[in-house]
Amino acid sequence: SVVIPSYNEEGNILPMIKRITKALKGRYSFEVIWVDDNSKDKTQDILTKLAKKDSNAVAIFREGIRGIWSAQLDGIKLSRGKVTVLMDADLSHPPEIIPKMMDNIPKYDFISASRYIFGGGMKGIPFHHYLSTNIFNRIIKLTMGLKATDYTGVYHAIKKDKLMQILPKSDALAGEFDLDMLYYAKKKKLKFKEVPFTYIYRTEGSSKSRKMTNLAFIYGMRALKLRLFGGV
């Protein structure tokens, strides 16, 4: 089950499903669950038509913008697959990496795609964003004391039964729920592995990310609470 939150992604939906289908068809039985937070563009119309003609596509429409983690959670709850893939809708996460993550699933419980191990990287990203993101992830790694290298990527393949054991204990303001999952994965002694991927800077739509200073505070506080108190 590939779970994808969306908001105003009309230019990305069809290229995304085409690439996911090409990567997975004939190798796995799969579903792609789109969870949309009341998009104002043509996203919902595109998803409605897609779900009607593609048996592998599921569209969930929610009222208002309720947040990335809330959307992920609704998608996870409705998913039917034995493995859950979490990824973004903006094509920054290349679907072609999913089979590489799945290849490791029989042996590992939690596969995370990382920009910061050999073979990974970022493409088309402004230098100041690249530098700040790189430094920020190093600081979070030091604060958390974990082996993971990518704490803001949110591109994972996780056995669903294991995922249900490590769901964040509270809502997240941004993508910091990722820290919870990585922390609880270690606490539950899940078998964890990273695979490299190249992050592609958004070319369609507009980013919903907060300013880096705000993100740094949100993620930093989350990391400290997890490290010091064992939860949030």
Side-chain angles (χ1 to χ4, degrees), residues 177-193:
F177 63 86
D178 214 25
L179 305 186
D180 294 45
M181 290 195 294
L182 291 166
Y183 173 83
Y184 291 121
K186 181 182 179 181
K187 194 171 183 179
K188 293 288 185 178
K189 297 181 180 180
L190 301 191
K191 294 180 180 178
F192 175 83
K193 180 180 175 63

Side-chain angles (χ1 to χ4, degrees), residues 76-133:
I76 291 168
K77 288 178 178 178
L78 291 173
S79 66
R80 296 169 292 175
K82 293 181 180 180
V83 177
T84 303
V85 174
L86 304 177
M87 65 188 303
D88 290 342
D90 59 6
L91 293 174
S92 60
H93 296 157
E96 294 76 16
I97 300 299
I98 298 176
K100 295 181 180 179
M101 292 195 284
M102 292 296 296
D103 286 344
N104 289 281
I105 282 295
K107 184 177 180 180
Y108 295 92
D109 304 312
F110 187 143
I111 309 299
S112 182
S114 173
R115 297 164 287 181
Y116 303 113
I117 60 175
F118 181 78
M122 289 182 271
K123 183 178 180 180
I125 189 170
F127 180 73
H128 71 280
H129 193 167
Y130 170 85
L131 186 62
S132 59
T133 300

Side-chain angles (χ1 to χ4, degrees), residues 19-63:
R19 288 173 61 182
I20 292 174
T21 300
K22 184 178 180 180
L24 299 181
K25 190 174 182 179
R27 302 184 66 174
Y28 307 98
S29 58
F30 68 96
E31 62 182 356
V32 183
I33 303 175
W34 304 85
V35 186
D36 189 78
D37 272 356
N38 198 26
S39 288
K40 305 304 182 184
D41 61 2
K42 296 179 181 179
T43 296
Q44 292 200 357
D45 290 337
I46 295 171
L47 288 176
T48 297
K49 293 177 182 178
L50 177 64
K52 286 181 179 179
K53 72 176 184 179
D54 188 341
S55 60
N56 293 323
V58 178
I60 301 171
F61 301 129
R62 311 193 310 168
E63 294 183 0

Side-chain angles (χ1 to χ4, degrees), residues 37 65-70 88 90 125 128-129 132-133 136 152 171-177 199 201-202 206-220 222:
D37 272 356
I65 303 173
R66 294 157 57 186
I68 295 175
W69 172 240
S70 176
D88 290 342
D90 59 6
I125 189 170
H128 71 280
H129 193 167
S132 59
T133 300
F136 182 56
T152 57
D171 286 340
L173 297 173
E176 75 275 18
F177 63 86
Y199 173 92
Y201 195 64
R202 169 187 284 276
S206 58
S207 174
K208 270 70 76 178
S209 297
R210 296 162 179 255
K211 291 182 179 180
M212 182 57 69
T213 51
N214 291 340
L215 284 175
F217 177 78
I218 293 169
Y219 275 79
R222 195 78 158 197

